Amino acid sequence: MEHPACILEDLKQFVVNDAPPTVYYLPDFISEDEESYLQQQVYKSPKTKWTQLSGRRLQNWGGLPHPKGMLAEKMPDWLHTYCGKISSLGAFSGKTANHVLVNEYKAGEGIMPHEDGPLYHPTVTTISLGSHTLLDFYAPVSIREGDAPQTEENRFLLSLLVKPRSLLILQDEMYQRLLHGIQPRAQDALTDKVANLSAAGASPGETLTRGTRVSLTEKTMEPQTKRWKGSACDADSWVAFPVLSDQQSQDVELVEAFAAPIVDKKETSRLLRELNAVRPLNGLQHVKRVRAVRGSGGPHPLEVLVCLVSDAPDLKVVSIDDLLPPDGVQRDGLGEPFVVKVPARPPLTRPQFELASKHWPTSFHEDKQVTVALRGELFGPLRKARMSAYMAAALTAAETGAALGMEAVG
Ligand SMILES: O=C(O)CCC(=O)C(=O)O
Ligand SMILES: [Fe+2]
């Protein structure tokens, strides 16, 4: 059937009303002669044009996306003609299709549910050659907590029957939100889940046997250079923060200890010496034994750690005599004990040190590299620019792969 150059308005009669917006299904868009001509051209292409994927073969025409702009490749005449023919329908809002994927599926082969990615104008058009297939549509995986587990089966929404020589145009929700795929089957039993049954001249209950299908998927690829300007990949627009070990990122753990006021400052060094001898604070080398009492207008300027609560006898009301052996520490200058909390482990980062010091004076052997990394200053502008370039290259490679229908691994 001939389709003169027309605008999208004229396509309205081909809208599939039983599907979400927007599907146009045009049966017999090309003639049988055109179909065999296109098949010949596909199979005449050099062997190197084919990429073997799991479950199908692929040819890529028109260029590959690249961070510095699409690596454009001249479209061969036989494809150029059909790109023009489809673009003249107005499917790409006045733009011309500049990229074609040719997929070949033997009976029993298919393509996993996927999205085509953001590199394209939000329209995809497909001419089918040689055999029908069922194109299935799925709701995207939602990440709401508490949702029931989402299987391919319960995300399945509808199918479209695409017959040989037909043209399918997908836009809007159908293309941008839903995933599409083809089950690897040799036969399709048609049900009322096929939204375009009557337009495709079929009826529920029918079973169709698949042969080898070749599809030509025409799209418009947006120029790459536009996409990177001011994007999240500018070296200035992101900060690298370190992923720290559990010990480095955990909160400060505290243990209880008895402290006592030093009521006579002159006794401090003797008390320290004697306490260290009879009550060493094992494992708490990072904790300072004496602290100045802040803003001390009070009765005593200093306090000293006597021992850990876990090392003391289990008494309800504790006096200094209960905590210390009868000999070894002269009680002169020491007040009655009280309980304080001290950090159980040496701080490893400046934030841990600042928190720990709020409880009791603590020493800190700073790892300068960790502190600089925590400030987000580990990498200078040159290294960040290089990382941005690597990230951009990885993203482009992933998007190119996705556009070619490859599946992510890992
Ligand atoms: O063969 C088809 O109709 C679909 C192909 C497809 O989804 C793709 O190549 O991204
Ligand atoms: Fe696709």
Side-chain angles (χ1 to χ4, degrees):
M1 167 167 142
E2 269 300 313
H3 283 272
C6 58
I7 51 165
L8 215 50
E9 194 63 23
D10 296 338
L11 281 178
K12 279 204 173 137
Q13 54 182 308
F14 298 107
V15 169
V16 177
N17 289 314
D18 291 338
T22 306
V23 183
Y24 303 90
Y25 179 76
L26 285 70
D28 297 310
F29 177 68
I30 55 167
S31 67
E32 285 189 16
D33 286 348
E34 287 177 294
E35 181 185 26
S36 13
Y37 167 74
L38 284 171
Q39 283 170 314
Q40 276 167 28
Q41 296 302 319
V42 167
Y43 288 112
K44 240 171 58 183
S45 305
K47 272 216 170 69
T48 50
K49 232 10 224 182
W50 286 106
T51 305
Q52 182 66 53
L53 300 172
S54 69
R56 72 197 152 100
R57 287 201 294 170
L58 180 79
Q59 294 178 2
N60 179 80
W61 294 98
L64 287 170
H66 184 274
K68 290 189 180 138
M70 185 176 84
L71 288 178
E73 173 198 59
K74 193 181 171 304
M75 192 73 82
D77 289 342
W78 58 277
L79 279 175
H80 193 71
T81 311
Y82 286 88
C83 285
K85 192 166 164 173
I86 294 168
S87 309
S88 68
L89 298 176
F92 303 103
S93 332
K95 293 187 183 142
T96 303
N98 60 2
H99 188 253
V100 181
L101 282 181
V102 176
N103 278 292
E104 182 207 54
Y105 310 83
K106 302 254 163 51
E109 294 185 330
I111 182 168
M112 299 245 297
H114 64 280
E115 291 170 272
D116 288 347
L119 293 177
Y120 303 100
H121 181 275
T123 295
V124 66
T125 67
T126 307
I127 297 179
S128 295
L129 311 174
S131 169
H132 83 280
T133 201
L134 275 195
L135 194 58
D136 303 312
F137 291 82
Y138 302 84
V141 179
S142 84
I143 42 170
R144 278 190 323 215
E145 243 174 83
D147 274 0
Q150 298 178 21
T151 59
E152 201 169 286
E153 211 177 331
N154 63 25
R155 286 165 46 226
F156 168 76
L157 296 172
L158 71 147
S159 304
L160 295 173
L161 172 60
V162 285
K163 287 239 174 128
R165 298 177 294 285
S166 68
L167 175 72
L168 183 72
I169 305 177
L170 299 178
Q171 295 180 325
D172 309 312
E173 185 181 344
M174 280 294 280
Y175 184 51
Q176 293 188 65
R177 196 178 81 79
L178 305 186
L179 282 76
H180 56 274
I182 297 171
Q183 289 291 337
R185 276 195 302 251
Q187 288 199 321
D188 295 294
L190 305 181
T191 67
D192 56 9
K193 281 288 192 185
V194 181
N196 65 330
L197 269 188
S198 59
S203 30
E206 238 181 281
T207 296
L208 301 180
T209 302
R210 288 190 198 169
T212 296
R213 171 174 174 263
V214 168
S215 66
L216 311 182
T217 305
E218 283 98 356
K219 305 176 207 185
T220 300
M221 201 179 282
E222 306 287 0
Q224 280 289 289
T225 37
K226 261 197 226 156
R227 290 164 29 83
W228 294 107
K229 247 184 243 162
S231 80
C233 281
D234 284 351
D236 297 342
S237 66
W238 57 275
V239 179
F241 288 112
V243 178
L244 298 177
S245 67
D246 288 351
Q247 284 97 329
Q248 287 169 313
S249 45
Q250 72 196 1
D251 282 347
V252 174
E253 194 188 316
L254 300 167
V255 282
E256 289 190 323
F258 284 110
I262 297 177
V263 289
D264 184 353
K265 220 173 151 182
K266 289 201 289 286
E267 301 292 335
T268 306
S269 49
R270 177 193 55 81
L271 280 169
L272 264 179
R273 194 174 54 248
E274 291 177 358
L275 281 169
N276 281 337
V278 303
R279 290 279 184 262
L281 296 177
N282 293 326
L284 292 179
Q285 285 80 357
H286 54 285
V287 171
K288 305 215 164 136
R289 189 119 202 182
V290 175
R291 77 171 173 192
V293 179
R294 237 176 290 158
S296 180
H300 56 270
L302 297 174
E303 290 168 348
V304 66
L305 291 176
V306 180
C307 63
L308 287 177
V309 167
S310 57
D311 291 340
D314 193 12
L315 299 170
K316 284 259 155 22
V317 184
V318 175
S319 79
I320 197 72
D321 291 327
D322 298 323
L323 300 180
L324 298 173
D327 300 322
V329 181
Q330 270 283 337
R331 311 309 199 250
D332 296 359
L334 212 48
E336 280 308 310
F338 57 94
V339 174
V340 292
K341 289 190 165 140
V342 301
R345 272 191 292 270
L348 299 173
T349 62
R350 186 153 282 280
Q352 282 182 344
F353 167 60
E354 282 162 10
L355 272 176
S357 304
K358 284 199 177 130
H359 296 280
W360 192 273
T362 306
S363 52
F364 175 41
H365 301 290
E366 185 165 17
D367 180 335
K368 284 270 174 5
Q369 208 188 13
V370 171
T371 301
V372 170
L374 281 169
R375 282 206 305 261
E377 292 169 0
L378 196 54
F379 306 115
L382 267 178
R383 290 179 75 189
K384 279 178 71 187
R386 209 174 309 147
M387 286 180 208
S388 290
Y390 290 139
M391 287 192 277
L395 275 175
T396 305
E399 286 177 344
T400 307
L404 296 179
M406 296 176 182
E407 284 119 30
V409 176

